[in-house]
Amino acid sequence: MDATTPPSLAGLRRTYEGHPLLEADLAPDPIDQFVIWFNEALAAGVPEPNAMVLATASAGGRPSARTVLLKDVSADGFVFYTNYESRKGRDLRENPRASLLFPWHPIRRQVRVEGRVVRLSREQSEVYFRSRPYGSRIAAWASRQSAVIPSREDLDRRYEELAARWPEDPPLPDFWGGFRVIPEELEFWQGQLDRMHDRLRYRLTGGKWIIERLAP
């Protein structure tokens, strides 16, 4: 088969085997359960366990998804950083809701999060921005994220110009910062044989979390 031949996808499948995921095994709070699973993914050597698919939609309902990195998780929610003028930034300005997906395939697990989204304060974004490597801070200035650009050379030239402008301590751009996804639903998915997967969902109702089992 040459590189231009479409692959045969119907036969691509894997057998999933995992310990049963039972309601009695879950922590009462979904963030506590997420941290337990995150630490297990980390211990299992899952590559970049903080990589998550972020799905947004425009005011008109046009969806888009991309992979971003989780940079903080707490009882307040899930935090990531981006250019506010990027497509996801514009979507969240128009429609401040999002879905997250953590695809931990090597351990046959997924976590899905849905909720509303708020911007972090400039002070909170500043603390994180100062912790980034120098090159990443220059790149935040250099990249007009999601905009059409003339060439790679143009992007590299802009990076070099900005590095010359700030050889040591680039400031936080006013168009860059953090978002927090405040969860209203979290689903924990554990792969099982014969596609009889375990799906347990936390849903916020009346200020309390209830746990529901979903059909696979």
Side-chain angles (χ1 to χ4, degrees):
M1 182 178 73
D2 66 45
T4 61
T5 302
S8 176
L9 301 178
L12 290 179
R13 59 175 56 87
R14 290 186 61 184
T15 298
Y16 293 99
E17 296 182 42
H19 295 293
L21 180 61
L22 304 177
E23 288 83 343
D25 298 330
L26 296 182
D29 185 273
I31 300 298
D32 292 341
Q33 184 62 42
F34 176 85
V35 172
I36 290 168
W37 269 28
F38 184 89
N39 286 334
E40 289 176 357
L42 196 63
V46 173
E48 293 197 281
N50 63 324
M52 58 188 188
V53 178
L54 165 68
T56 60
S58 67
R62 184 176 181 180
S64 62
R66 73 292 288 161
T67 301
V68 300
L69 296 178
L70 176 69
K71 287 301 178 180
D72 187 44
V73 60
S74 69
D76 295 326
F78 298 78
V79 170
F80 65 94
Y81 294 85
T82 190
N83 186 312
Y84 290 139
E85 299 305 320
S86 64
R87 180 172 179 180
K88 55 187 171 295
R90 295 193 303 271
D91 279 358
L92 292 171
R93 184 168 61 248
E94 298 173 1
N95 182 9
R97 300 191 62 80
S99 177
L100 308 174
L101 174 68
F102 294 86
W104 296 329
H105 301 308
I107 56 173
R108 300 167 295 283
R109 286 178 174 175
Q110 298 180 68
V111 179
R112 187 179 58 80
V113 180
E114 292 182 13
R116 61 188 180 90
V117 181
V118 297
R119 271 200 198 191
L120 297 188
S121 69
R122 184 168 177 83
E123 291 74 21
Q124 291 170 307
S125 294
E126 180 90 38
V127 170
Y128 173 70
F129 188 76
R130 295 293 181 189
S131 76
R132 301 183 92 205
Y134 169 80
S136 296
R137 284 183 279 166
I138 291 294
W141 279 97
S143 174
R144 299 182 180 93
Q145 199 171 79
S146 302
V148 175
I149 59 175
S151 66
R152 175 70 200 204
E153 290 75 17
D154 182 78
L155 179 64
D156 290 339
R157 186 181 312 111
R158 180 167 171 78
Y159 180 98
E160 294 302 326
E161 290 170 353
L162 290 163
R165 179 179 178 183
W166 292 302
E168 293 184 359
D169 192 20
L172 173 68
D174 58 5
F175 52 79
W176 194 97
F179 285 106
R180 187 188 308 277
V181 180
I182 301 172
E184 297 168 352
E185 290 189 8
L186 296 91
E187 179 188 325
F188 293 80
W189 182 100
Q190 173 70 67
Q192 299 294 351
L193 285 170
D194 299 321
R195 300 300 190 259
M196 294 290 285
H197 311 307
D198 286 316
R199 297 176 60 191
L200 293 179
R201 178 178 66 185
Y202 293 78
R203 183 164 57 86
L204 191 61
T205 303
K208 295 183 179 180
W209 291 105
I210 64 170
I211 297 175
E212 302 167 314
R213 179 172 289 273
L214 304 179

